Amino acid sequence: MTPLQTFYKSLLIGTVISALLAACATSPLGRKQLILMPESQMQQMGATSYQQIKQSRTLSNNARDQRYVRCVASAITDAMGGGNWEVNLFADDTANAFALPGGKIGVHTGLLDVAQTPDQLAAVLGHEVGHVIAHHSNERMSIQFATQTGGQLLQALSGEPSPEKQLLFAALGIGAQVGVQLPFSRKHESESDLIGLELMAKAGFDPRASVTLWQNMAKQGGEKPPEFLSTHPSNETRIQELSQNMNKALPLYRKAKQSGETPNCQR
Ligand SMILES: [Zn+2]
């Protein structure tokens, strides 16, 4: 490498590093994050992916269950300050649920066999919404970006569908090809658990149901494990961490109940 090339290389590295430092953000729990994607772009990607999911899957035609799922979801989203969330129950026997940037929530009918009460369903939705408000997809994408060179980065953002774009969609947690779901890291999982716990308690759902939910998931883990388990391992650490934070969540739950915050979601 000539001295000039070396100079340009260090200049490029310097530019990238300052861009990365400028992009440091903080998660709701105070963890430092690398956030490179504009939030508007994340929301657009979430909305596009959701559209694809709606086109390729069937909505449940059980109006009562649709109402029930929307009732629990809106109590959770209200607890985090509202906003416009689209919530749909999909006719799908696999036990799964997801939330996407851009205010999109999807629940599979199969989940209602595992999350058997409104409080347990609230635990799943609180967790999923937790990933969205902590910008976990953005962080995951940003890390992928940071490991690519500048040229690939620009290419990935614009133009035709490409393997890079596929990777970006996969970072959303669902994939451009519907069905591809990447697990979040343990760090993201733990953060979403705690955000979800707080949200469900504030919404007036019994936070202790989160522990029951994960026990239910683990119980069904035998022959035909819930799909949710493939991206959300139910382990002792998760249950332990939730239990350890119950002393913070229970007062929020009692306060919500005292102020008449009691979601009446019937199936
Ligand atoms: Zn998760």
Side-chain angles (χ1 to χ4, degrees), residues 145-226:
F145 265 171
T147 54
Q148 289 178 352
T149 65
Q152 284 171 320
L153 197 146
L154 288 176
Q155 221 173 29
L157 265 181
S158 57
E160 293 301 299
S162 63
E164 287 83 4
K165 241 185 191 165
Q166 290 277 342
L167 261 182
L168 294 184
F169 276 107
L172 270 176
I174 45 147
Q177 299 306 319
V178 172
V180 182
Q181 207 167 19
L182 291 182
F184 282 103
S185 67
R186 177 75 207 116
K187 188 172 61 185
H188 285 173
E189 281 305 305
S190 153
E191 198 163 69
S192 287
D193 276 346
L194 299 187
I195 295 172
L197 192 67
E198 184 181 326
L199 281 178
M200 72 183 290
K202 276 186 178 163
F205 295 104
D206 189 338
R208 286 166 293 198
S210 63
V211 170
T212 324
L213 168 84
W214 289 108
Q215 286 165 344
N216 284 357
M217 287 269 184
K219 240 184 275 168
Q220 306 220 353
E223 222 166 82
K224 197 177 156 240

Side-chain angles (χ1 to χ4, degrees), residues 127-128 131 184 189 192 232:
H127 174 96
E128 285 306 303
H131 280 306
F184 282 103
E189 281 305 305
S192 287
H232 293 81

Side-chain angles (χ1 to χ4, degrees), residues 109-147:
T109 44
L111 181 71
L112 302 182
D113 297 331
V114 183
Q116 290 158 351
T117 66
D119 303 273
Q120 289 175 25
L121 180 58
V124 176
L125 296 183
H127 174 96
E128 285 306 303
V129 165
H131 280 306
V132 175
I133 59 178
H135 305 292
H136 287 164
S137 309
N138 196 331
E139 191 179 3
R140 188 146 75 169
M141 257 178 223
S142 303
I143 290 165
Q144 279 175 7
F145 265 171
T147 54

